[in-house]
Structures are given as C-alpha cells and as structure tokens.
Amino acid sequence: LCPCLIYGAYIFLPFDAPLLPNVSARLVYTLRCATFATFPIVLGMIVSGISRLCSSALEPFGELHQEVEIHRTYVSQSVHLFILYFFNMAVLATYLPQELLKLIPLLTGLFAISRLIFWMSYAIGRSFRAFGFSMTFLPLLAMLLWNLYGMFVLEPENLLS
C-alpha cells in the first residue's frame, strides 16, 4: 500500500521540490520537512500529559493506567522511529537526483499519517496496530536498503566523504 500511496501522491500532487544544487541545501530542506513529522509526536505528548493529569491514580509516580500507558508507549516508539526515519531521509536526500526530491516531503507526510493511524489502532486494540506500524517501518526499511545500495554500489569511492 505504501508504494501505491507514494506513487499516487508523486504523480497527482501539484508541487515540485525547489532547486537544490548542493548537499547542504538538500539537508536543510530535509530538516525543514522533518519538522512536520514531529506533529504526531508532539500531539501524543500533549494527550499523554492530559491523560496522566486526568488519571484517577492517587500516586503520580505509581503504576500507570492502561489509557496513560498507551499514549506513553506511542510517544516513546514514535520518537525512536522518527530518529531512524530522519537520518535515513537525510542520507536519501544526498543520493536522490533533483527530479526525485519531491519524495522527501511525501515520505515525511507518510510518516506522520502512518504514526497517527498506528496511534488510533493501538488505542482500539493491540492486535490492530500492525497496519500502522508496517506503514511506518516498511518505508524506513526501503530507505535504508536504498541508502546502503547508494553507498556501496553507486558511489563506493565516496563512502565516507
């Protein structure tokens, strides 16, 4: 489903990436796009704080209720995945040709949407969360494989430079 969503958005959304001739401009562009991927994480922190505040626990540092634990776990997992996603997007931006740089904001949007889907499905029941997690993890895995391919096959002479 992820390749179909990315391809459809790439073809039908009417925007193009700005002209980014050097690596530093591409990294700044990736950094600015990644800011939008933090929206579901910040929203999760807000909801987690509100649910902890409204929790009926008598001890603030005691055992957490399930509704509080769900949001805390979501935020923790999302932060870990965001770090991996961001570093892979930053490396990906250095290997993509100019005409494919439109993928960076599309992958950012896919990350944000898939984390929100994961959060909703995780709150419904733990057995439904695989769909949202796979929408986050499989593009991350594809980016990692492409980055390794780019480093070791396309440009092995520039591996560390």
Side-chain angles (χ1 to χ4, degrees):
L1 183 64
C2 290
C4 295
L5 288 173
I6 292 292
Y7 180 74
Y10 185 83
I11 296 297
F12 295 115
L13 288 179
F15 75 92
D16 286 324
L19 184 62
L20 304 167
N22 55 15
V23 174
S24 61
R26 290 172 179 232
L27 291 176
V28 168
Y29 180 68
T30 303
L31 184 65
R32 289 179 179 169
C33 288
T35 303
F36 293 102
T38 62
F39 172 74
I41 299 170
V42 172
L43 186 63
M45 291 174 147
I46 292 169
V47 171
S48 177
I50 291 171
S51 66
R52 185 166 218 158
L53 183 67
C54 296
S55 174
S56 60
L58 295 176
E59 295 182 30
F61 298 108
E63 182 122 358
L64 298 176
H65 291 281
Q66 181 181 3
E67 64 270 5
V68 177
E69 187 65 31
I70 286 173
H71 303 305
R72 190 190 64 78
T73 304
Y74 162 75
V75 169
S76 173
Q77 289 177 358
S78 294
V79 167
H80 296 146
L81 284 169
F82 173 75
I83 291 168
L84 293 171
Y85 216 82
F86 173 71
F87 281 122
N88 275 287
M89 269 199 324
V91 173
L92 181 68
T94 64
Y95 286 110
L96 286 177
Q98 175 64 40
E99 56 273 0
L100 293 178
L101 282 177
K102 185 178 179 179
L103 288 175
I104 299 299
L106 295 178
L107 288 169
T108 302
L110 179 66
F111 177 82
I113 291 169
S114 62
R115 291 316 295 165
L116 290 173
I117 290 172
F118 172 79
W119 190 17
M120 289 188 319
S121 61
Y122 191 59
I124 292 171
R126 292 180 183 232
S127 60
F128 297 110
R129 64 185 176 182
F131 177 71
F133 180 77
S134 65
M135 282 185 64
T136 306
F137 184 71
L138 294 177
L140 172 65
L141 187 63
M143 282 190 292
L144 175 66
L145 293 175
W146 177 258
N147 290 337
L148 291 174
Y149 174 76
M151 285 190 286
F152 291 112
V153 176
L154 294 180
E155 296 181 12
E157 66 278 356
N158 295 332
L159 182 63
L160 299 175
S161 61

